[in-house]
């Protein structure tokens, strides 16, 4: 039996422990990856310490659990039914797991599957227990096992630490695609300075949005966002008043679209205010996961023919699209900085995964 090192959580509200565990073996359509970098969710400390008060209906993996949502590394072993992946391939591992057999999965929408689960993080319903029996472990380990359907090959000009950001970048990219045609349109990005918001700004520019209204609280980060494309980005601090009034003062009728990237504990009044800055017939997509109820006038929704969409994560196909965009230079990830930690410093890493330059900093564990 070959052993490896893994950072595991044995109980909520306790530090992770570095354990010696059995190294995974590839079989069937699964592959084994040597993890070179794994993204650290900036909010992970809050999740592990306050989960039951936040989202008690969403199950965590059985403990002791190896977390790690966004792994990237090198394929070391493939099962006998793997077709297009070989040892030595540099890859990102999409943590989205689903049943793979229902209509939603077959239609390319695995997020709508009743078994939708984040490998290395949490599930979305009781069926996640079945997924965790098959894929219990995430990327906070030296090696991990994953289905070939989760594998995105990454180009030579993408580092492993950059690839470990693809989940959050992809959440923004997938949401932007749901607006339809973006060329020449206007877009509010609410929560623009966070991990999702910075990625959304980068991809919205690449996808042809004519004018971005970037909204956040902190002015220094807003200045960095504007510097990405000064002629196409307008910035606004929520400390200065109403987002809706500001957007309408610049556009007259409001923006075509709005993407909400606010975090789980954000004030939903800020989201509602930004929504009111969208013009008649517009579309609003939420990816931030703000975790409290929000009241708004449903007649406004009806009378103005508004479209409201919730968007969770990305498909493996969308990961492949992003990899191609980086390879060809459509997206430049060099604007992002990395704060990396070794496996032994996992607890320090979890505690410090929100201490950098907002969404411009990627936090990674390097097993």
């Amino acid at each position: 039996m070959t052993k490896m090192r893994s950072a595991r959580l044995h109980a909520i509200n306790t530090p992770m422990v570095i354990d010696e565990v059995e190294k995974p073996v590839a079989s069937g359509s699964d592959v084994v990856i040597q993890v070179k970098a794994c993204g650290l969710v900036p909010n992970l400390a809050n999740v592990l310490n306050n989960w039951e008060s936040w989202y008690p209906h969403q199950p965590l993996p059985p403990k002791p659990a190896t977390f790690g949502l966004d792994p990237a590394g090198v394929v070391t072993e493939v099962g006998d039914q793997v077709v297009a992946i070989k040892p030595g391939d540099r890859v990102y591992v999409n943590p989205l797991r689903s049943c793979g057999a229902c209509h939603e999965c077959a239609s390319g929408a695995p997020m709508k599957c009743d078994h939708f689960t984040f490998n290395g993080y949490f599930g979305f319903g009781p069926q996640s227990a079945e997924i965790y029996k098959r894929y219990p472990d995430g990327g906070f380990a030296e090696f991990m096992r994953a289905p070939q359907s989760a594998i995105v090959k990454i180009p030579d000009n993408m580092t492993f630490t950059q690839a470990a950001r693809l989940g959050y970048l992809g959440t923004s990219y997938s949401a932007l695609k749901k607006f339809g045609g973006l060329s020449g349109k206007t877009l509010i990005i609410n929560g623009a300075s966070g991990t999702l918001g910075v990625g959304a700004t980068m991809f919205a520019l690449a996808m042809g949005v004519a004018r971005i209204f970037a909204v956040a609280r902190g002015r220094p980060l807003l200045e960095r966002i504007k510097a990405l494309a000064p002629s196409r980005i307008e910035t606004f601090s929520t400390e200065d008043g109403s987002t809706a009034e500001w957007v309408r003062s610049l556009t007259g009728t409001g923006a075509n679209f709005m993407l909400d990237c606010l975090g789980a504990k954000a004030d939903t009044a800020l989201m509602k205010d930004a929504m009111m800055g969208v013009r008649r017939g517009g579309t609003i997509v939420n990816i931030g996961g703000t975790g409290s109820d929000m009241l708004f006038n449903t007649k406004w929704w009806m009378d103005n023919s508004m479209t409201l969409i919730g968007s969770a994560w990305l498909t493996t196909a969308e990961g492949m699209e992003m990899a191609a965009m980086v390879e060809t230079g459509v997206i430049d990830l060099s604007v992002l900085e990395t704060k990396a930690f070794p496996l032994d410093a996992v607890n320090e890493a979890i505690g410090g995964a929100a201490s950098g330059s907002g969404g411009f900093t990627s936090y990674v564990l390097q097993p």
Side-chain angles (χ1 to χ4, degrees):
M1 182 183 298
T2 304
K3 295 287 188 177
M4 69 171 186
R5 301 170 76 236
S6 174
R8 299 201 298 174
L9 183 76
H10 287 253
I12 292 293
N13 300 322
T14 65
M16 289 192 182
V17 178
I18 306 300
D19 292 330
E20 290 280 334
V21 300
E22 185 177 354
K23 178 185 171 185
V25 176
S27 63
S29 59
D30 287 346
V31 305
V32 170
I33 303 96
Q34 183 181 18
V35 180
K36 297 295 187 178
C38 186
L40 280 155
V41 180
N43 198 39
L44 184 57
N46 286 327
V47 168
L48 298 181
N49 294 328
N50 302 290
W51 185 254
E52 292 181 357
S53 62
W54 277 33
Y55 303 120
H57 62 287
Q58 294 186 213
L60 293 174
K63 289 170 278 295
T66 302
F67 281 76
L69 184 64
D70 258 342
V74 177
V75 175
T76 59
E77 185 182 355
V78 301
D80 58 4
Q81 295 183 29
V82 173
V83 177
I85 302 164
K86 65 183 185 304
D89 284 343
R90 303 172 70 251
V91 300
Y92 163 73
V93 184
N94 187 348
L96 191 161
R97 303 286 178 267
S98 62
C99 77
C102 66
H103 183 272
E104 287 76 12
C105 288
S107 300
M111 304 86 143
K112 298 179 181 179
C113 173
D114 288 338
H115 289 76
F116 176 30
T117 301
F118 279 151
N119 185 209
Y121 201 15
F122 60 81
F124 290 85
Q127 291 87 343
S128 292
E130 290 299 317
I131 296 297
Y132 283 129
K133 290 178 183 177
R134 294 158 176 78
Y135 298 101
D137 299 323
F140 289 176
E142 293 177 319
F143 295 86
M144 69 173 296
R145 180 173 58 86
Q148 66 175 344
S149 59
I151 300 301
V152 175
K153 295 180 184 179
I154 60 173
D156 291 338
N157 63 339
M158 181 187 290
T159 67
F160 291 119
T161 56
Q162 289 172 340
R165 178 75 179 256
L166 281 179
Y168 276 86
L169 292 172
T171 296
S172 300
Y173 172 64
S174 181
L176 290 167
K177 289 176 63 178
K178 292 176 174 63
F179 288 118
L182 289 171
S183 296
K185 303 295 185 180
T186 54
L187 169 69
I188 301 168
I189 300 180
N190 196 34
S193 64
T195 306
L196 291 170
V198 169
T201 302
M202 294 168 58
F203 276 90
L205 291 169
M207 295 164 75
V209 170
R211 199 176 185 190
I212 294 173
F213 303 108
V215 180
R217 182 177 59 185
R219 293 180 179 85
L221 285 175
L222 284 171
E223 291 176 3
R224 288 190 65 176
I225 290 168
K226 187 172 180 64
L228 295 175
S231 65
R232 295 168 62 190
I233 299 174
E234 304 286 348
T235 60
F236 181 75
S237 171
T238 53
E239 294 182 344
D240 293 335
S242 165
T243 297
E245 292 177 4
W246 172 70
V247 171
R248 291 186 179 276
S249 74
L250 297 177
T251 62
T253 57
N256 298 110
F257 307 126
M258 174 196 150
L259 181 64
D260 196 84
C261 304
L262 293 177
K265 302 188 81 171
D267 185 353
T268 54
L270 297 173
M271 180 178 177
K272 178 181 177 181
D273 178 35
M275 288 171 61
M276 298 302 118
V278 179
R279 64 175 296 167
R280 182 180 182 85
T283 300
I284 297 160
V285 178
N286 176 33
I287 58 174
T290 305
S292 56
D293 292 338
M294 178 180 65
L295 297 178
F296 63 91
N297 190 306
T298 54
K299 193 170 189 299
W300 161 83
W301 178 9
M302 177 190 74
D303 288 349
N304 289 279
S305 299
M306 307 301 289
T307 300
L308 307 180
I309 300 173
S311 182
W313 211 244
L314 72 150
T315 64
T316 300
E318 288 167 335
M320 295 173 180
E321 293 164 13
M322 290 191 299
M325 294 171 78
V326 172
E327 183 176 27
T328 56
V330 176
I331 289 290
D332 179 9
L333 296 181
S334 66
V335 300
L336 303 176
E337 56 202 43
T338 299
K339 192 168 184 178
F341 301 83
L343 188 65
D344 288 322
V346 61
N347 293 302
E348 174 191 347
I350 292 170
S355 58
S357 300
F360 287 95
T361 303
S362 297
Y363 306 91
V364 299
L365 200 67
Q366 294 183 307

